[in-house]
Amino acid sequence: MSQQYITIYDVEGQPAATTPEDMARLAGRVFPLTERIAGGAGEAVDFGDWFVGWRKQQGIASEAPLPTHLKVEAVDAFEALIPWEQLADAAISFAINGERLPKGGPIRLYVPNGSSACLNVKSVVACRFLQDEERRGEVSYGFKQTFSADEMRNKR
Ligand SMILES: Nc1nc2c(c(=O)[nH]1)N[C@H]1C(S)=C(S)[C@@H](COP(=O)(O)O)O[C@H]1N2
Ligand SMILES: [Mo]
């Protein structure tokens, strides 16, 4: 069984769990992934639409500063650090014909304006909003190398 919820960390590092359906509800507008990704399957929402809905739900003022990066983490320990500017038109794939993704779930992120196709992270289980001016514009992706003691226990 693949994990079916996603943990969202605000810029203070406070976690909250969400589901693909809740993300779609918060975003408000659902569209076919093919509108943004050639050959894409199923339904998606705009990352920015979801972010606006999430901030509203959190009671964060719409004029609050934007994060500098989104860090996404996948169930297989793949992770990507994406500069906010590269998230224009980014899409969250969350369903196919109204059902959970058969693979790559709970959600997959597509970053059509990203500097690398490697940023299209599958099986996203955590999203972290970062405020890191010193690393503004920095991109990275790959398999996480270091794990905390808690994470090691969870992996067994
Ligand atoms: N969870 C997860 N997402 C991932 C990867 C991965 O290993 N694990 N590989 C990335 C890399 S390096 C690339 S190039 C693309 C490949 O996407 P594709 O399989 O749809 O071609 O997925 C990205 N997303
Ligand atoms: Mo890649």
Side-chain angles (χ1 to χ4, degrees):
M1 265 294 282
S2 61
Q3 185 177 321
Q4 292 299 0
Y5 63 90
I6 305 114
T7 308
I8 311 300
Y9 295 86
D10 68 15
V11 288
E12 266 97 48
Q14 287 300 319
T18 189
T19 64
E21 294 75 22
D22 278 338
M23 292 182 83
R25 248 191 311 276
L26 271 188
R29 184 175 52 100
V30 174
F31 54 84
L33 182 61
T34 48
E35 281 186 13
R36 303 226 179 139
I37 304 297
E43 298 93 63
V45 293
D46 179 68
F47 173 79
D49 285 350
W50 170 71
F51 178 72
V52 167
W54 178 82
R55 286 235 284 199
K56 208 171 283 174
Q57 185 198 48
Q58 300 290 305
I60 301 170
S62 53
E63 62 276 12
L66 291 172
T68 57
H69 302 79
L70 171 69
K71 187 176 182 192
V72 287
E73 302 172 357
V75 72
D76 61 354
F78 190 81
E79 55 183 30
L81 179 71
I82 307 166
W84 206 258
E85 304 70 38
Q86 295 191 18
L87 291 166
D89 296 327
I92 298 167
S93 152
F94 71 97
I96 296 183
N97 299 323
E99 304 280 345
R100 293 270 175 104
L101 298 182
K103 55 184 167 63
I107 58 168
R108 181 167 183 178
L109 180 70
Y110 287 89
V111 188
N113 292 305
S115 52
S116 168
C118 310
L119 300 176
N120 296 328
V121 181
K122 302 167 227 192
S123 305
V124 172
V125 291
C127 294
R128 294 174 190 271
F129 298 123
L130 304 184
Q131 202 80 66
D132 190 346
E133 290 297 340
E134 284 182 5
R135 292 203 290 171
R136 190 174 272 286
E138 186 183 315
V139 183
S140 69
Y141 52 83
F143 287 95
K144 181 176 178 173
Q145 300 289 349
T146 54
F147 295 89
S148 69
D150 271 357
E151 288 170 324
M152 291 303 282
R153 273 189 289 275
N154 292 337
K155 281 161 73 75
R156 283 194 303 196

